[in-house]
Amino acid sequence: MLKYVNAAGRQQELVGRGRDCAERTFFKIGIINVNLNAFSKTCGTMVIAGLLGSAAITGVPAAAQTAAVPTSNNPLGIPDNFTIVGSENPNDRAATAVVNGYVITGTDIDQRVALITNASDAEVSNEELQRLRQQVFRNLIDETLKIQAAVAQELPVDRAQVEQTYQQLAAQNFGQNPERMDEYLDSIGSSPRALKRQIEGELAWENLLRRNITPFINVSAEEVNEVLRRLEESRGTEEYRLGEIYMGATIENREAVIQNMQRIMQQLEQGGSFVAYARQFSEATTAVVGGDTGFLRLETLPVQMADAARRMQTGQLVGPIEIPGGFTIIYLIDKQQVLGADPRDALLSLIQISISFPEGTTDEAANGRIEEFATFVQNLRSCSEAESARTVLGATVVANDEIQARQLPDQLQNILLNLQVGQATPPFGSPEDGVRVLMLCGRDDPEDAGAPTFQSVMSTIEEERINKRAQRYLRDLRNDAYIEYN
C-alpha cells in the first residue's frame, strides 16, 4: 500500500528507483495486563500487582480488608492491598510476545491479518489463516524492532508524517471521501491504528537506513559506465517487470518453507492479492512496494528464476522456484525492449461501435444480429462512416482519443497494433454484456527510448547495495533483541 530488494543471488544492474517508549503496555506472566496509557507515558517501570483469572475470596479476615482514607494522592480511597476478582476484560486480548518491553497482542495480529484476507477474493481456510497469523506475527516483531531501533538512535518517526501518509492512502482509495478509510478498516476487522503502525514501521526503517547505511555506500564512475555500456549492447533485447515473493531457506527449514510457498501459491491462484501477500510475507525489500521489481534484464537474475520468466506470458504466476538462498514466486507484470520503443506505448484514436440485446433474446436471434453487425463493420471504409451504424443498426458510437495500447486487454492490444487506420477489430463481447468492435482511426507511435542517465544508473546500483546491507542489519536487530513469547 505504500524499497526494493532482489532475491538472494541476484546481481541487479538497472532497475529505474522510531516509535518512542511512550504508550507501552507492561506485561509479565502471572501479573495482570495493564495498559499504561491510562497511567503513564514515560519509560519508567511500573508494576501492578494482582492475579489473572477469577479467584474466590475465602477465609480472609475482615480486618485485612482495611479501607484507605481518601487523600489527594488517593482520591478514591483504594486500599494498598487488594485482589482482582473475576476475569479480565473480555475485550482485551492476551499478549503473544514482548519485544524489548513492547507488547504484541492477538488483536494486533488479527487486525493485520484482516488487511491481507480482505484483499483476497478467495475464502481463506482455517489452516491457511493460522499460517497467515504466524507470518504476520513474525512481521510485527521485525516492525517493532525497526521502530525501537529508530527511537534508540533518536530517529523517531514524526507522527505528522504518519498521518500524512495515511491520509494520502485514504485519498487514493476513497477519493473525495478520505474519512471513509477509518470506517472501512473497522468494517473489515482491522483498524486505523494497525495501518498507521505499519506505516510507522516503514518510515522508521527508512530513517535507519538513511543514517546507518546509505552514507557508507560508494559507487564508482567506472561501475556506472560499465552498466551503460552493457545496456547499449543489449539494446532491443527484452527486459521484464516482475512481482516477487521471496523466502530464505536453510537445510533445517527447507521443507517448511516449501510448504508455506505452496500454500501462498494456492491462495494467489484462487484470487488472492499478489501485492498484499508480497507486502506481508516476502523477505525481499521489494515487499514494501508489493513485490514489484521494476524492469530488469533476465541476465541479472538467478538462472532458475530467469529460465522461468523467459517462458512466462504477461499475467502468469509461477512458483515456488528454488534459487540460491531460498525460494521465490514470480508474477510477470510486463515486458519491454531494452532502450527500444515499446509499441504498446502507442497512442490510439479509436471509435467504439456497440450493440445491445433486449432481455429474453434467443440465441438464434442474437447470433443473427451479431452476424449482421459483423458484416456491416467489415464494409466500413473509414472512420467517418462509423456514424451510420446509429441509423442502420441502432448501435452506440463513441469516440475515444489518446488511448494507450497497453491500457487495453492483451488480446485486443495484439489485434489493434496490427491494424491499419480505418480497420476494425472482430466483434467481441456477449449478448448479456453487449457486442462491440474497436475501429482504429489514428495512431501515434512512441519514439525510441533513450539510454538512462549516468545519475539514474548510479542511484540504482546504490539502492541495490543498500538493500543487501539492510537485510544483514535486520538480522543483527533480531539477534540482539530480547523477546518473550507467551
Side-chain angles (χ1 to χ4, degrees), residues 318-354:
V318 173
I321 303 166
E322 186 169 10
I323 61 176
F327 293 84
T328 187
I329 294 172
I330 57 175
Y331 172 73
L332 181 56
I333 301 172
D334 201 359
K335 56 184 177 180
Q336 65 182 19
Q337 291 186 343
V338 176
L339 303 184
D342 191 331
R344 292 172 302 168
D345 289 328
L347 293 178
L348 309 179
S349 295
L350 305 171
I351 287 182
Q352 183 175 226
I353 308 172
S354 59

Side-chain angles (χ1 to χ4, degrees), residues 20-262:
D20 59 14
C21 53
E23 300 183 1
R24 286 189 181 176
T25 303
F26 180 81
F27 174 78
K28 184 176 181 181
I29 297 175
I31 304 296
I32 189 170
N33 296 336
V34 178
N35 190 328
L36 293 193
N37 290 341
F39 298 92
S40 171
K41 288 191 176 181
T42 70
C43 293
T45 302
M46 182 171 185
V47 178
I48 306 296
L51 300 177
L52 288 176
S54 60
I57 304 179
T58 59
V60 180
Q65 305 297 321
T66 304
V69 178
T71 65
S72 59
N73 293 328
N74 186 7
L76 297 181
I78 298 175
D80 292 334
N81 299 315
F82 64 92
T83 301
I84 299 297
V85 180
S87 62
E88 295 179 85
N89 186 336
N91 294 320
D92 291 337
R93 303 293 185 88
T96 52
V98 186
V99 182
N100 295 328
Y102 180 90
V103 178
I104 296 174
T105 70
T107 300
D108 295 328
I109 298 173
D110 290 342
Q111 292 181 348
R112 206 60 78 81
V113 168
L115 292 175
I116 305 173
T117 56
N118 187 71
S120 175
D121 296 330
E123 184 177 350
V124 180
S125 66
N126 290 333
E127 181 182 359
E128 173 68 9
L129 191 59
Q130 290 304 313
R131 191 186 66 79
L132 282 173
R133 288 178 59 83
Q134 290 300 316
Q135 184 64 50
V136 167
F137 184 27
R138 290 191 289 271
N139 293 346
L140 286 170
I141 291 174
D142 286 348
E143 183 179 279
T144 300
L145 292 173
K146 294 173 182 178
I147 294 172
Q148 290 175 339
V151 171
Q153 297 183 39
E154 299 183 350
L155 297 171
V157 175
D158 185 353
R159 303 306 304 178
Q161 188 178 7
V162 174
E163 289 295 334
Q164 180 182 15
T165 304
Y166 180 82
Q167 292 302 323
Q168 289 173 347
L169 291 172
Q172 291 171 11
N173 287 278
F174 296 96
Q176 300 300 316
N177 302 297
E179 65 279 359
R180 290 180 55 199
M181 178 73 122
D182 290 5
E183 300 174 9
Y184 168 75
L185 291 173
D186 289 335
S187 71
I188 65 172
S190 187
S191 71
R193 177 184 174 278
L195 182 53
K196 289 177 183 179
R197 176 73 175 179
Q198 182 169 342
I199 294 170
E200 182 183 7
E202 293 171 354
L203 295 176
W205 193 231
E206 291 179 5
N207 290 348
L208 287 168
L209 299 186
R210 196 178 298 116
R211 161 77 66 83
N212 300 312
I213 294 179
T214 302
F216 307 102
I217 298 297
N218 296 305
V219 179
S220 68
E222 290 77 10
E223 292 176 280
V224 176
N225 288 328
E226 176 63 17
V227 170
L228 291 171
R229 182 187 65 78
R230 290 203 298 267
L231 280 172
E232 189 60 40
E233 290 176 351
S234 302
R235 180 184 290 273
T237 61
E238 287 190 317
E239 57 182 359
Y240 294 67
R241 181 183 174 192
L242 302 173
E244 64 174 351
I245 299 176
Y246 169 76
M247 288 186 179
T250 62
I251 296 177
E252 292 78 12
N253 70 356
R254 184 177 185 277
E255 291 305 317
V257 171
I258 292 174
Q259 291 178 12
N260 284 340
M261 298 291 269
Q262 289 173 340

Side-chain angles (χ1 to χ4, degrees), residues 355 357 363-379 393 427 435:
I355 57 173
F357 301 81
D363 291 343
E364 183 178 357
N367 290 334
R369 182 160 166 74
I370 292 173
E371 185 175 344
E372 178 188 12
F373 179 58
T375 301
F376 175 85
V377 171
Q378 288 175 357
N379 290 328
L393 299 176
V435 174

